[in-house]
Amino acid sequence: GESVGLHLPTLSVQEGDNSIINCAYSNSASDYFIWYKQESGKGPQFIIDIRSNMDKRQGQRVTVLLNKTVKHLSLQIAATQPGDSAVYFCAENQGAGGTSYGKLTFGQGTILTVHP
Amino acid sequence: GAVVSQHPSWVICKSGTSVKIECRSLDFQATTMFWYRQFPKQSLMLMATSNEGSKATYEQGVEKDKFLINHASLTLSTLTVTSAHPEDSSFYICSARIAGVDTQYFGPGTRLTVL
């Protein structure tokens, strides 16, 4: 089946820098994308989402960019803080209708380490 | 809002025994719940989709007779790992979804260790 993948498995940044985490997806039918943050020993925490009819969405210190032409998703974190250190996963919803509705496919994850 | 809990948070059992994990949506009704498994340093892998009042839909390669899922109410789903073996040791995470809303809300996970 199709899957979501990440370009960089690890990312180290200095506190205060901006972080960019990338994700490639291959399922052109996906219409909804989500970024999750997972700290060690915990469940994923919703960060931000975006639908396929948008190319950019901003939250508090985070921005998600969607490029459907090249099937690429990115998460930008502004002024990265030590508390942002975690594993970040992108996930795609495989589209409405049928048995796939609501199912998420997760990417492999990127470990973000923020140095004080 | 949209809080999902899991119980227990961790469990250690002997090989051959069965373990039940509960997933509850605390402040909303979840028409659909999902069960994932996550091995160390790996991503989440969907095991099954559970709709209230109906049989769960299992992903390819997941044994439905080994991983029993019950979704008896709109706030509770249970996963029972039957005849557990050391290779079943993993982090099991559930998520819940409100009808008509795409976002899935995740529980804190349950660490299962089978000796």
Side-chain angles (χ1 to χ4, degrees):
Chain A
E2 297 185 347
S3 63
V4 179
L6 294 176
H7 296 302
L8 300 174
T10 62
L11 177 64
S12 293
V13 300
Q14 290 296 126
E15 181 178 3
D17 287 351
N18 296 331
S19 302
I20 299 176
I21 301 171
N22 297 300
C23 175
Y25 67 95
S26 56
N27 189 341
S28 57
S30 295
D31 61 356
Y32 178 59
F33 305 87
I34 314 100
W35 281 101
Y36 287 96
K37 171 186 179 183
Q38 186 179 29
E39 297 176 306
S40 182
K42 297 183 179 180
Q45 175 187 353
F46 173 90
I47 301 174
I48 192 168
D49 58 2
I50 189 168
R51 296 199 175 276
S52 58
N53 60 353
M54 303 171 68
D55 53 21
K56 180 179 180 179
R57 190 158 188 232
Q58 289 183 294
Q60 187 175 18
R61 282 201 307 120
V62 295
T63 301
V64 54
L65 299 178
L66 175 62
N67 186 329
K68 295 181 288 293
T69 302
V70 295
K71 296 179 184 173
H72 184 266
L73 192 69
S74 69
L75 175 69
Q76 300 178 0
I77 305 174
T80 316
Q81 303 168 1
D84 294 327
S85 294
V87 180
Y88 289 79
F89 293 97
C90 63
E92 61 176 330
N93 183 315
Q94 297 176 3
T99 58
S100 66
Y101 185 60
K103 288 173 51 174
L104 294 179
T105 299
F106 280 78
Q108 67 183 82
T110 292
I111 301 172
L112 174 65
T113 303
V114 183
H115 300 283
Chain B
V3 177
V4 177
S5 70
Q6 283 184 240
H7 177 80
S9 56
W10 59 270
V11 56
I12 301 173
C13 70
K14 293 181 179 180
S15 185
T17 61
S18 295
V19 174
K20 179 184 284 187
I21 302 170
E22 293 185 348
C23 176
R24 293 182 184 273
S25 56
L26 298 185
D27 51 2
F28 66 99
Q29 293 185 327
T31 51
T32 305
M33 289 184 170
F34 303 86
W35 286 96
Y36 296 82
R37 180 166 53 183
Q38 184 178 33
F39 292 107
K41 300 190 184 301
Q42 294 188 22
S43 188
L44 282 75
M45 296 298 296
L46 179 65
M47 299 175 66
T49 301
S50 170
N51 290 297
E52 185 267 338
S54 62
K55 292 183 178 180
T57 302
Y58 290 81
E59 294 300 299
Q60 190 173 9
V62 178
E63 301 175 56
K64 62 179 181 181
D65 294 331
K66 180 172 183 62
F67 298 100
L68 302 179
I69 292 173
N70 184 282
H71 193 163
S73 76
L74 287 172
T75 60
L76 173 65
S77 177
T78 60
L79 168 67
T80 301
V81 183
T82 62
S83 187
H85 292 284
E87 56 266 32
D88 297 325
S89 298
S90 188
F91 194 49
Y92 291 87
I93 309 171
C94 72
S95 71
R97 186 175 154 268
I98 304 169
V101 178
D102 289 327
T103 306
Q104 289 185 27
Y105 301 96
F106 283 82
T110 297
R111 174 76 59 193
L112 170 64
T113 301
V114 185
L115 302 177

